[in-house]
Amino acid sequence: MGNIHDIARLAGVSATTVSRVLNGHPYVSDEKRAAVLNAADQLRYEKNINAVHLARGKTETIGVILPFVSHPYFGTILGGIAAAAEKSGYKLMIVQTNYHTAQEIEAMDMLKLKQVDGLIITSRECPIELVEDYSEYGRIVLCEALSRDFLSSVFVNQYEAFKSALSFLKEKEKKNIGYTVLRMEGKSSISRKKAYEELFGELRSHWVFDQALTIEDGTRIAGEWASLTDQPDAMVITNDFVAAGFLLECRRLGFSVPGDVSVVGFDNHSISGALNMTTVELPLQQLGEIAFEQVISSETSHKEVPFQLVERGSV
Amino acid sequence: MGNIHDIARLAGVSATTVSRVLNGHPYVSDEKRAAVLNAADQLRYEKNINAVHLARGKTETIGVILPFVSHPYFGTILGGIAAAAEKSGYKLMIVQTNYHTAQEIEAMDMLKLKQVDGLIITSRECPIELVEDYSEYGRIVLCEALSRDFLSSVFVNQYEAFKSALSFLKEKEKKNIGYTVLRMEGKSSISRKKAYEELFGELRSHWVFDQALTIEDGTRIAGEWASLTDQPDAMVITNDFVAAGFLLECRRLGFSVPGDVSVVGFDNHSISGALNMTTVELPLQQLGEIAFEQVISSETSHKEVPFQLVERGSV
DNA sequence: GTAAAGTATGAAACGCATTTCAGCGCAAGC
DNA sequence: GCTTGCGCTGAAATGCGTTTCATACTTTAC
C-alpha cells in the first residue's frame, strides 16, 4: 500500500516510468514494465484517485442537480444520464435540491471547486444569469428550452406538447378543458396559459390546478374538480402519476373516465399504459442520454427532443 | 484565481495562516484574518477541492450502488439517503449497476481509490465475501439482513414481512396463494418459499411468478395467472408497482379484484393508496436515512426496520 | 555515411491545501 | 522572580500522480 515512488524504488526505475506503465503509455521496455507491474503487485498498490484528480485537473465526474430523486420523472432522466455515463466511464454526483436555491448553488459550487467536470441541471430554481456565471468553470446542460451561448440545453417543446394535447381534445369535441401546473408562477405555467388561450380563448382561472407533482396531488385535484359546479369535461395533467391519481380518484368518487371527464397525461410512463390512459410521450430516458453527451462535449448545443401523443382510452 | 500561496504572498502571511483563516481555525489575529480575506477576495480565490481531498485523505462523499435509479423502490431509498446526506453536508456518488457484477466492483473500487469515504449497497449481486474484502477501505452498509462483523446492514425482515402478508390472507380464508419473486435464484426467493411452506405446506411451483420488478411485469404476470386452470385466489406481489400492473390487468381481463383474486403488494407506495390496494408498508425512505447514518458512523451495526400491513380493499 | 526519426528513461516541476512541530511573546499563578 | 500556559505564526513535511523537458541510444532514410 505504498505510493508510486515506493514502486519506483522497488522496481529500480523512476516514478515517471511507473506512471507510464500504470497508464498504458508507450515507450517502456518490456523488462521495466514487468518489474513495475511486479513491484505494484508486491506492494498491493492502489492509486489515490484524488492525487490523479489534482494532477490532471479533472475528475471524470458529472454533477446532476434534481429536485427529487424519487420522482419518476426525474428518476427516468437520471436513468438515461446514468446509462450514458456508464458507457463513457464517467461517475455521477447527484444533488437533491427539493427546489431550494441554496442547494442548487451548493451543487454549482462543485463545478467551481473542480469536484465535477460538468453539470446537468434537470430543473432549475435560481436565476439563469447566476447559472451562466458558473459556465466559466465547466460545461452546464439545462433540461429546459433556452438559447444561451454558454449553456447547453435539451428539452421537449412544452408549449407544443401541451398544445397537441389540447388540440387532440378539441378534435374530440371537448369544450371545457382544465389543466394542472406544478406551480402557478412557474415558467411552464405561462406557456401553457398562452397555448390554452390561443386555442380556446379566455381561460377560467379556477380550471387551472396548482401543485401537481405526485399521485396524491392527483387525488387531491380530483376532489377539487369534483366539487366544482362547472366541471371541465377534460383535464390535461402535468404527468402520468398525477393523472393516475386523478383518474383513479374520479372513478372512486363515482365518475366515469372518459364518460364524465377525459384525461390526458404526460410522459407515457408505464402507469399510463396499465391504466389505458391517453398521454403525451416524452422521451425522458433519451433526454437524459443526450444531456450527458452534451455535458461532455466541447461545444454548447441546444437540442429539442420530440414528443408524441399516445392515444388510449381515457379520452 | 490563484492558490493559497498567492494569497499568502499578497496578504503578507504564511500559507498556514491562510489555511487557518479559510477553515475557521482559532489563533489568528484580526488584522491577519482581514488581510487574508481581503487578498482571497482580490484574487477571486477558489479552493481546489481535489487538493483538499488529497491532503485530508477523505472526500466527504458516499457512494451508492443501486441496480436502477428510476425504479421507485430504489428511488425512495435513494431519496432517504440523499436527505440524510444533505443534512450532514455529504455528497453522493451514484452507480447504476443493472445488477451487473462488473459495475458493482467498479463502484466498490471507488472506496479503494479513496474517491468515497463509504459505500451503501442497496442491492447486491456479487459474493458477500468479496464485499467484505473491501471493508478495510471504508465503511460499507448493505440493505439486506446479515450479521458480518465488518459490514453494517439495515433491512426489513423479508421473511416476516412476507409471512405477515400470507397470514393475513390465511385469516381471510384464502387457501390458494401464489406469489412473485424478482428472481427464482434470488436470496429472498428462498426465504419466501420457506415462509410459504411453513404456513401452507407444499408449494405448487407454477404459483410462483418470476421476474417481478415493474408495472409491465405485473401486467405480464396477470396474463400468466389468467391462463392457469388452477388459478390462485390470492397473490402476494413483490412491490406495489408490480401489484398495480397485476391488479389493473386482471380487471382489464374481466376479473374482479378482490372477487376473483386478492392482491397484497409491498412498499405502501402512493400508487397502492390510489388503487385502494392492501400492502405491506416498508419504510424505505427511513431505511435510506438509517443507511446513511450507519455509513458515516465509526462502528458497524445491524438494524431492522419495522414493516406494517396496511389493510385496504384488494383482499 | 550522415541526418532524421523513433525508442526509452529520469529529474524536476506542477497541481494545492493541511497539519505537525517549533518557537516567540505575553500574561496569569505561586 | 520564575514557571506554566495560552495566543499567534510560519517553515517544512505530507498527501501523490502527471507531465514536460532534456538526454542518450537506436534505427531508418537517402
Side-chain angles (χ1 to χ4, degrees), chain A residues 3-4 16 19 23 45:
Chain A
N3 60 31
I4 208 173
T16 312
S19 176
N23 291 294
Y45 171 73

Side-chain angles (χ1 to χ4, degrees), chain A residues 180-199:
Chain A
T180 68
V181 294
L182 182 50
R183 282 167 302 175
M184 284 298 184
E185 281 75 35
K187 289 157 282 178
S188 76
S189 187
I190 297 159
S191 75
R192 293 196 161 201
K193 192 175 180 193
K194 185 155 161 271
Y196 188 98
E197 287 174 343
E198 221 156 273
L199 277 170

